Amino acid sequence: MEEGCMINSNFLGISLFMRCLRMLVRILVLLYLAGAPALAQTLCQPNASNGCRVRISIKTALGNQAYEWNENEMFLFRATMAFAMRRYYKTETYNVDNIIMCNQTLRVSFWFVVTSPENSTMLIPKADVEKAVRMSRHRINNAFLLTDRTLEFLGIHPTLAAPVNPDTPPWLIVFGVVIGAVFAGIIALLVSSLLQKRRKEKGMMEDGQDEEDRQMKGVENDNVLDGIYNRGFTDDDRFTKL
Amino acid sequence: MGKDAARAEWDNPMQFVLACVSYAVGLGNVWRFPYLCQMHGGGGFLIPYMLMLVLLGVPLFYMELAIGQKMRLGSIGAWRAISPYLGGVGLASVVTSMYLCLYYNVINAWSFWYLFHSFQSVLPWAECPVNSNLTGHVEECERATPTQYFFYRETLDISGSIEENGGIHMGQALCLLLAWIIVYLFIVKGVKSTGKVVYFTATFPYLVLIIYLIRGVTLHGAINGVKYMFTPKMEQLANPTTWINAATQVFFSLGLGFGSLIAFASYNQYNNNFEKQAIVVSMVNSSTSIFASIVTFSIYGFKATFNYESCLERVRLLLLNTFDLAEDTISLENVNHWIAELNRTQPEQFASLGGRLETCDLEAELDTAVEGTGLAFIVYSEAIKNMPVSQLWSVLYFIMLLLLGMGSMLGNVIAVITPLSDLKFISHYMSTKTLNGLVCLFCLLLGLGFTTRSGNYWFTMFNDYGATFSLLFIVLIEVITVCYIYGIKRFEKDVKDMLGHRLNWYWKIMLAGVSPILLIALFIFYIVNYIQGGTPTYQAWNKELGKSVVTEYPPYAQAFIGLLLASSVCCIPLTALYTYCKKRNLASGKRERTVSTVSA
C-alpha cells in the first residue's frame, strides 16, 4: 500500500514539474514574441553608436514630380540597404528584416540599424555600414531618383568628383592662339614697312631726288640749289624770354 | 614752317577725339565711380560731381589741349617753351606717367588671364577645387569664397605680407608680355597706327556696356541694386569728403597732369577746334561713368539678391533639419516668421542652434561697397558665375576691361614717348620704332616685379601713392604757370590765334580764379589727410583666415613711398634750380668773353 502512495506522489511531482516547465516555455515564448519589437526598439536608438541617420529631401530634388514618402518607399529603402550589405559582404544572407528603422519624422529623416543575419541581437558596426553605403551609393541614389545631397547619410560625406587634369591647361591654348596672332601681326607690319621702304628706294632711283628734298631745294637756271634754313625768319615770340 | 612740317598728325579730328575718349574712359569709370556713388549717397553724388566737372575738370582739360596744340611738342618741350624755369613740370609729368605705365599694364595682364580662363566648361572661380585626398575642398577656399581664392591664390599666388617675396608667377609674366607686345603693336608707327586703333578701343566697350545693360536689368534682383543706387541720401552732401572725392574723381578720370592730353593735342592741326572737343570729351566721359554705374549696380543688385536668397535657403534648411519639419512647411518667404514662431514654441531647441543661425539682410549685402581691383575681378566674376551661359558673359566682360585698359595705356605710353622723341639727342640716334620698343621693353622688365608673389602689394602702393599727390601738385603748378607766369593775356592771344575767336569769360574766370583755389584746397586736404592718417597701411591676404587684414607698411616700404612722391614732385624745383644755374653760368661766361675781347 505504502509503495503505491510513494509512486503516486512521485508521479504527481513529475507532472507538476512538466506543467511548470511548459508554462515557463510559454512565458518565455510570449516574452520573446512581445519582446522582439521591444528588443528591436532597444537595438535602434537615436544617437546610438551603431545607428545611421538618414535625411531625405524629395521636394528639393524633384519639385513638382516629387513622390510621397510612405510605407512602400520605406520598404524599398530597407530592401536597398539589404542589397548594399549583400554587395559589400558578398553573401546572400541579408534580408529586409535585418534593417531596422526607428524615429521617423515628417522631415523625412530616420535612424536605422543593421542586424547580423546570424544573430539578430548583434548589430553591424557603423563603420562597416558606412563602407557598404559608400560602395553602393550611386545605386541607392538612383533607386530613389535622388542625389548625394538630397539623400543624406549623416556622417558619410558626398563623394567629390575627381578633378580632371588635362595635359595642357586650356588657358595656355587660348594664350598660344592669341600670341600667335599678335606675332603674325608684327611680322606683317615689318614686312609691309620693308616693302614700302624698298618701293621708296626704287622710286628715288627713278626720279633722282626725294619728295621732301624737292620742296626744300630751289631751282635757278637749271641748277639745283640747296636750301639753308634761315634763322632770321623764325617766330621767336612763342618762346618766353628770360 | 620747315621744322614742324615733319611732325606726324592725326588723319582727321575724329581720331583725336576718339583717342581722348579712349584714354579718359578707362577702368576708373567702371570701378571707381560706382563705388563713390554708393559711398556718398547714390544719386545725390551726381551734384558735387557735375559741379566739380564744370568748375575744375573742363577748364583744365581745355587748358591742356590748348597748350599741346599751340606748342606742338610733348610735355617737356611744351613747358620749357612756356617758361624755361618751369620746364620741370613736363619732366614731372613724364616721371608720373612712367610710374603709371609700369603698373597699369599689370591690370591688363590680369584681364588677359581671366579672359583665357573663361574658355572652360566650368569657370574656375565658380567652385572650390578639391584637395589632394578627395575628401573635401581646399581649406583656404572653404574659408574664403571661390572667387577670392581664384584671385588671390591662382591668379596672384599672393604671399602673406609685402616682406615675403617669392618667385615670378609664370602665367602672369606671360600675360604681361602679351600685354606689352600688343601695346607696342598699337604705338609702333606713332599716331598713324594709334589713330586707327582708337576707332576700335573707343567704340567697342560701349557695345559691350549696352549688351551688359540689357542683360543686367533683366537679371533677377537687379532692380534692388539700381533702386539702391539712385535713392539719394542728401545728408551725404554735408560731408566734405564727398566733395573732395568728387573733385578727385573728375580730376583723375579726365587724366589731367599726365602729359597725355598735351601729347595727343600736339599732333593736331594748328587750327583744330579743341574747345568744342574738350567739352564733348568731358561730357562723354561723365555720361559713360553714369552709364557704367547703372550696369554695375544692376549686377550688384543681382549678386546681393542671389546671396540674400542663398542665405535664406541655408537658414530654411537649418530650421527644417533641426526641428524635423516637413519640407514644404517653410518657404523662402516665411522663414523669418517661422524663426519667431519656433523661438516662441521650442526655446531650448532653438537655443541649441547657437551661432549657426545667420541673419540675412539684403541691405547689408548691398552695403558692401568694394572698389578697384576687388570690384572688377572678385565681385563681378562672382556675379557672372551665377548668370546662365556664364562663359559668354565672362568673355565679353573681360574683353571690355581689356579694351578700356588698353585705351588708357595708349595715352600713358604716348605721354612718355612723345616728349622723349622730341628731345634732340634721342631723335638723332634712334628712330621712333626703336625708341618705342626700348620704352616698352624697359617697362616690361620692371613690370615683372609686379608679377612676383608680393607683387600685388607693390602694385597697391604704386596705385595709391604713385600718381595721386604728385598729380595735384603738377596741375596746380600748371594752372598757376599758365595764368600768372605765362600770363592769361598771352594765353588768350594764342587761343585767338588758333581758334579765331576770343577766350570766353567762363574759361577766363575758371582758369584764373576758381580752379587754382579749388586745387589749393584739394592739395591742403591731401596733406592734412596724409599726416593725420598715421602710418600708411595696406590689406594683406591672410590664408589661414581667408580674408584680408590691415597691416602696416615696413619702414623700407614707407621710405619707398616717400621716394615715389618725392621723385616726381622734386623735378619741378630741381629743374628750376638747374636752369637758373645754367643761365647764370652762361651770363657770366658771356661777360668774361666780352671782357677778354675788349682787353685784347
Side-chain angles (χ1 to χ4, degrees):
Chain A
M1 251 352 128
E2 272 155 13
E3 293 92 2
C5 268
M6 278 290 275
I7 293 171
N8 255 352
S9 65
N10 276 349
F11 204 73
L12 210 62
I14 289 173
S15 72
L16 197 62
F17 177 69
M18 286 307 292
R19 218 183 290 154
C20 287
L21 201 63
R22 239 177 284 156
M23 214 145 102
L24 203 63
V25 168
R26 229 178 270 144
I27 288 171
L28 276 175
V29 167
L30 263 170
L31 262 176
Y32 177 75
L33 281 176
L39 202 64
Q41 287 281 37
T42 54
L43 285 176
C44 177
Q45 295 256 10
N47 301 323
S49 56
N50 282 324
C52 289
R53 180 132 188 246
V54 179
R55 194 186 288 146
I56 302 184
S57 318
I58 311 174
K59 293 204 174 57
T60 317
L62 300 171
N64 285 341
Q65 290 151 356
Y67 51 79
E68 200 196 309
W69 188 262
N70 51 23
E71 281 304 316
N72 298 335
E73 306 287 345
M74 196 57 102
F75 182 77
L76 178 60
F77 185 83
R78 294 167 75 193
T80 322
M81 286 314 301
F83 163 75
M85 297 307 293
R86 282 193 185 194
R87 213 160 152 243
Y88 180 64
Y89 281 116
K90 298 188 179 49
T91 71
E92 288 173 13
T93 49
Y94 280 90
N95 221 326
V96 182
D97 301 325
N98 296 116
I99 318 288
I100 305 172
M101 329 286 272
C102 51
N103 205 29
Q104 298 179 39
T105 68
L106 280 174
R107 170 71 181 82
V108 191
S109 69
F110 47 81
W111 289 83
F112 75 92
V113 288
V114 182
T115 58
S116 164
E118 291 92 34
N119 183 355
S120 51
T121 53
M122 200 179 82
L123 295 180
I124 306 287
K126 186 168 175 177
D128 291 334
V129 174
E130 281 183 2
K131 286 201 197 102
V133 167
R134 264 209 199 95
M135 198 167 112
S136 309
R137 190 71 188 264
H138 188 62
R139 301 292 298 270
I140 301 174
N141 284 348
N142 280 347
F144 291 94
L145 307 174
L146 298 172
T147 65
D148 276 0
R149 289 190 196 285
T150 39
L151 173 57
E152 296 170 71
F153 288 86
L154 296 188
I156 306 176
H157 295 294
T159 43
L160 298 164
V164 177
N165 275 330
D167 291 327
T168 31
W171 77 269
L172 211 53
I173 300 174
V174 187
F175 172 79
V177 167
V178 173
I179 209 166
V182 167
F183 274 127
I186 290 181
I187 292 175
L189 214 68
L190 284 175
V191 166
S192 77
S193 66
L194 216 68
L195 281 176
Q196 236 179 22
K197 213 189 272 182
R198 216 168 279 163
R199 228 179 288 142
K200 215 187 203 180
E201 279 172 10
K202 236 200 291 182
M204 240 172 76
M205 283 194 297
E206 285 170 10
D207 290 345
Q209 57 189 30
D210 206 357
E211 270 285 344
E212 269 177 21
D213 292 333
R214 216 182 293 151
Q215 286 176 355
M216 294 277 265
K217 292 187 166 72
V219 178
E220 194 188 8
N221 294 338
D222 287 336
N223 293 337
V224 176
L225 299 173
D226 281 20
I228 305 170
Y229 190 64
N230 190 343
R231 289 189 189 280
F233 284 113
T234 51
D235 177 11
D236 266 350
D237 278 338
R238 65 191 183 109
F239 295 94
T240 310
K241 300 209 178 8
L242 284 165
Chain B
M1 203 147 38
K3 269 197 292 200
D4 297 334
R7 190 175 186 82
E9 278 184 0
W10 301 104
D11 287 335
N12 52 51
M14 187 51 135
Q15 281 187 359
F16 168 65
V17 172
L18 286 178
C20 288
V21 165
S22 174
Y23 170 64
V25 172
L27 297 168
N29 299 65
V30 169
W31 73 35
R32 188 156 163 82
F33 186 82
Y35 164 74
L36 287 176
C37 250
Q38 193 179 17
M39 292 297 289
H40 296 296
F45 182 72
L46 289 176
I47 298 174
Y49 182 76
M50 282 299 164
L51 213 59
M52 288 296 166
L53 186 68
V54 163
L55 295 178
L56 196 65
V58 181
L60 290 173
F61 196 81
Y62 176 91
M63 182 188 80
E64 291 216 357
L65 290 189
I67 292 169
Q69 195 166 308
K70 174 74 187 166
M71 300 303 167
R72 313 199 81 206
L73 289 171
S75 49
I76 298 182
W79 289 104
R80 217 188 305 167
I82 287 181
S83 163
Y85 284 126
L86 289 171
V89 172
L91 197 60
S93 290
V94 170
V95 170
T96 316
S97 284
M98 175 64 86
Y99 291 151
L100 194 66
C101 280
L102 284 178
Y103 79 80
Y104 201 84
N105 227 5
V106 176
I107 305 176
N108 289 334
W110 294 338
S111 300
F112 269 123
W113 173 266
Y114 270 81
L115 176 67
F116 295 151
H117 275 85
S118 308
F119 290 96
Q120 290 177 16
S121 53
V122 173
L123 292 175
W125 54 86
E127 294 171 345
C128 278
V130 286
N131 61 14
S132 41
N133 43 6
L134 294 187
T135 50
H137 297 293
V138 174
E139 274 180 27
E140 189 180 351
C141 192
E142 289 279 313
R143 289 187 213 111
T145 61
T147 40
Q148 282 179 319
Y149 176 78
F150 183 75
F151 183 64
Y152 287 112
R153 187 55 46 215
E154 299 203 15
T155 310
L156 300 174
D157 196 12
I158 207 165
S159 62
S161 74
I162 200 170
E163 290 136 357
E164 299 162 27
N165 292 317
I168 293 181
H169 188 296
M170 276 325 287
Q172 287 300 305
L174 285 175
C175 290
L176 187 65
L177 173 72
L178 178 65
W180 272 112
I181 292 178
I182 292 185
V183 167
Y184 177 68
L185 209 61
F186 286 168
I187 58 163
V188 66
K189 281 197 177 158
V191 280
K192 289 296 169 204
S193 55
T194 313
K196 303 207 175 34
V197 164
V198 292
Y199 280 118
F200 186 65
T201 59
T203 51
F204 195 73
Y206 285 100
L207 184 66
V208 179
L209 270 176
I210 291 174
I211 296 176
Y212 249 94
L213 181 72
I214 300 173
R215 168 76 274 202
V217 296
T218 52
L219 283 171
H220 167 67
I223 198 71
N224 294 334
V226 179
K227 234 190 317 182
Y228 181 80
M229 174 190 154
F230 279 113
T231 23
K233 299 184 195 62
M234 285 302 187
E235 60 271 9
Q236 281 285 338
L237 287 181
N239 183 4
T241 321
T242 310
W243 296 87
I244 305 283
N245 279 340
T248 322
Q249 174 61 15
V250 161
F251 199 77
F252 294 127
S253 180
L254 288 175
L256 305 166
F258 285 105
S260 311
L261 297 169
I262 297 179
F264 280 148
S266 70
Y267 298 112
N268 270 340
Q269 302 250 336
Y270 189 70
N271 296 101
N272 180 44
N273 185 1
F274 62 90
E275 181 173 6
K276 200 175 57 159
Q277 290 167 344
I279 300 177
V280 162
V281 172
S282 314
M283 289 303 141
V284 166
N285 184 44
S286 307
S287 33
T288 311
S289 293
I290 300 173
F291 184 50
S293 328
I294 300 178
V295 175
T296 304
F297 272 94
S298 54
I299 306 240
Y300 247 176
F302 165 70
K303 182 184 96 72
T305 311
F306 187 87
N307 286 350
Y308 172 67
E309 289 182 355
S310 305
C311 176
L312 280 181
E313 177 69 27
R314 284 194 300 272
V315 169
R316 170 180 164 267
L317 264 178
L318 183 67
L319 289 177
L320 281 180
N321 293 346
T322 321
F323 293 95
D324 283 324
L325 307 161
E327 270 182 282
D328 44 2
T329 45
I330 308 183
S331 70
L332 284 183
E333 283 82 43
N334 49 21
V335 166
N336 290 323
H337 161 77
W338 270 99
I339 290 178
E341 179 80 26
L342 289 168
N343 195 8
R344 193 172 52 86
T345 49
Q346 302 174 54
E348 325 83 35
Q349 206 170 357
F350 194 85
S352 74
L353 281 176
R356 288 180 296 155
L357 188 67
E358 325 171 38
T359 39
C360 301
D361 187 5
L362 185 60
E363 281 288 319
E365 291 280 341
L366 285 169
D367 272 337
T368 49
V370 190
E371 70 157 324
T373 49
L375 174 59
F377 293 102
I378 296 178
V379 171
Y380 248 94
S381 51
E382 192 175 317
I384 287 172
K385 80 171 197 238
N386 296 323
M387 293 184 196
V389 199
S390 48
Q391 290 85 353
L392 169 69
W393 299 109
S394 179
V395 167
L396 265 182
Y397 174 68
F398 289 111
I399 286 183
M400 181 187 76
L401 276 195
L402 266 176
L403 286 172
L404 290 174
M406 281 295 174
S408 302
M409 202 54 206
L410 286 179
N412 296 334
V413 177
I414 288 184
V416 173
I417 287 180
T418 308
L420 286 182
S421 62
D422 288 335
L423 291 175
K424 301 269 182 325
F425 65 86
I426 288 185
S427 59
H428 184 66
Y429 284 120
M430 56 178 95
S431 68
T432 349
K433 285 209 195 72
T434 326
L435 175 67
N436 294 351
L438 280 178
V439 169
C440 288
L441 186 68
F442 176 71
C443 291
L444 168 66
L445 291 175
L446 284 187
L448 284 177
F450 293 111
T451 59
T452 58
R453 291 195 62 208
S454 57
N456 191 44
Y457 300 127
W458 292 101
F459 169 85
T460 317
M461 182 199 287
F462 268 76
N463 192 24
D464 290 339
Y465 299 103
T468 45
F469 176 78
S470 23
L471 269 187
L472 276 175
F473 188 65
I474 289 172
V475 177
L476 180 62
I477 303 286
E478 279 187 9
V479 160
I480 293 178
T481 310
V482 168
C483 294
Y484 298 107
I485 299 180
Y486 186 70
I488 194 85
K489 293 243 177 303
R490 268 167 83 192
F491 184 68
E492 213 174 331
K493 197 174 69 127
D494 289 334
V495 170
K496 182 153 187 278
D497 204 22
M498 285 192 285
L499 290 181
H501 60 260
R502 288 178 64 85
L503 203 60
N504 200 355
W505 57 266
Y506 161 72
W507 303 115
K508 269 194 275 199
I509 295 178
M510 293 305 155
L511 279 177
V514 179
S515 303
I517 296 174
L518 277 176
L519 279 172
I520 291 176
L522 261 183
F523 190 69
I524 294 175
F525 168 78
Y526 254 92
I527 297 182
V528 165
N529 207 24
Y530 187 75
I531 297 174
Q532 273 185 345
T535 333
T537 59
Y538 66 104
Q539 301 266 13
W541 177 257
N542 185 326
K543 60 190 280 201
E544 277 86 43
L545 294 176
K547 54 196 252 271
S548 305
V549 287
V550 175
T551 328
E552 278 186 3
Y553 277 116
Y556 68 87
Q558 291 180 35
F560 193 78
I561 293 177
L563 190 68
L564 272 182
L565 292 174
S567 56
S568 44
V569 164
C570 280
C571 289
I572 302 176
L574 285 178
T575 320
L577 201 64
Y578 171 74
T579 320
Y580 177 70
C581 290
K582 204 166 74 164
K583 291 294 170 190
R584 261 226 342 225
N585 282 342
L586 213 68
S588 63
K590 241 186 258 173
R591 243 183 289 129
E592 281 173 15
R593 259 185 279 130
T594 44
V595 166
S596 60
T597 38
V598 162
S599 64

